């Protein structure tokens, strides 16, 4: 049984459940109101985002645990690698540059770290606290090619700011 999102003419562009960013932002704000524990916040955000959109096959955080080093945080999906130096991977590129990484084809990204062989595209965003310090990155992987766009970048960043920089 193949991926139901795959049609005989390619990937169905609007296959499955698609996130409603206004709705999910309101839900996350309500669920996390008054909470400032970063693990609790990351666990809630990862869970809510992951189950809101069929493009999201892995959704989770890598935390900045020391200068130049990321370690896995709360996530949804198959196991993820535990440690990522800033020099490696899409997550490392995001942490190193502070810029959102939208990767339409992970096989074309030098140094991509494949935690799952099924991953085809990825988006990674910086997570900053209220002082603007980088505390983590949010990584979302998809088994669909070219699954993410600027709207995802803007809306996911809006959610991260509202939760972690408040
Ligand atoms: N693909 C990421 C690694 C994290 S696993 O995908 C969950 C990267 O290249 O940094």
């Amino acid at each position: 049984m193949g991926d139901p999102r795959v049609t005989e003419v390619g990937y169905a562009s609007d296959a499955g459940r698609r996130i409603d960013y206004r709705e999910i932002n309101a839900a996350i704000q309500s669920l996390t109101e008054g909470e400032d524990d970063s693990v609790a916040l990351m666990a809630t955000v990862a869970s809510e985002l992951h189950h809101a959109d069929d493009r999201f096959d892995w959704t989770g955080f890598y935390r900045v645990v020391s200068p130049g080093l990321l370690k896995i945080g709360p996530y949804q999906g198959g196991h993820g690698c535990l440690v990522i130096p800033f020099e490696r991977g899409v997550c490392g590129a995001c942490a190193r540059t502070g810029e959102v990484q939208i990767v339409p084809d992970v096989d074309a990204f030098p140094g991509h770290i494949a935690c799952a062989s099924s991953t085809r595209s990825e988006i990674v965003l910086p997570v900053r606290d209220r002082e603007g310090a980088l505390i983590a990155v949010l990584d979302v992987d998809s088994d669909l090619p070219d699954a993410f766009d600027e709207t995802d970048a803007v809306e996911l960043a809006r959610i991260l700011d509202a939760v972690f920089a408040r």
Side-chain angles (χ1 to χ4, degrees), residues 1-71:
M1 180 68 176
D3 182 332
R5 298 170 294 182
V6 179
T7 67
E8 55 279 359
V9 292
Y11 285 89
S13 59
D14 58 358
R17 183 176 47 243
R18 291 298 293 265
I19 197 166
D20 177 326
Y21 280 112
R22 185 188 304 267
E23 183 181 284
I24 202 82
N25 201 342
I28 289 172
Q29 288 306 308
S30 172
L31 288 166
T32 62
E33 187 176 2
E35 184 54 66
D36 63 3
D37 177 82
S38 64
V39 174
L41 295 173
M42 289 179 185
T44 304
V45 171
S47 176
E48 287 300 302
L49 290 179
H50 188 72
H51 297 291
D53 196 304
D54 286 344
R55 293 173 296 160
F56 299 2
D57 292 297
W58 195 96
T59 313
F61 291 86
Y62 280 87
R63 299 160 299 124
V64 180
V65 295
S66 60
L69 190 64
L70 296 165
K71 279 200 177 181

Side-chain angles (χ1 to χ4, degrees), residues 75-165:
Y75 67 92
Q76 300 271 323
H79 69 273
C81 58
L82 299 185
V83 180
I84 301 179
F86 280 27
E87 298 77 24
R88 293 194 59 218
V90 185
C91 292
C94 178
R96 198 170 57 244
T97 64
E99 300 295 324
V100 177
Q101 306 289 317
I102 299 178
V103 181
D105 175 4
V106 296
D107 292 335
F109 188 93
H112 169 255
I113 301 168
C115 294
S117 58
S118 58
T119 299
R120 301 282 302 279
S121 62
E122 189 162 353
I123 185 171
V124 183
L125 299 94
V127 182
R128 294 186 177 90
D129 66 13
R130 65 173 69 93
E131 283 79 37
L134 183 77
I135 59 172
V137 298
L138 170 67
D139 180 17
V140 187
D141 298 344
S142 183
D143 293 350
L144 292 171
D146 197 13
F148 305 106
D149 59 20
E150 278 305 316
T151 299
D152 295 306
V154 167
E155 295 301 335
L156 288 171
R158 190 193 310 273
I159 291 170
L160 295 172
D161 286 348
V163 173
F164 296 98

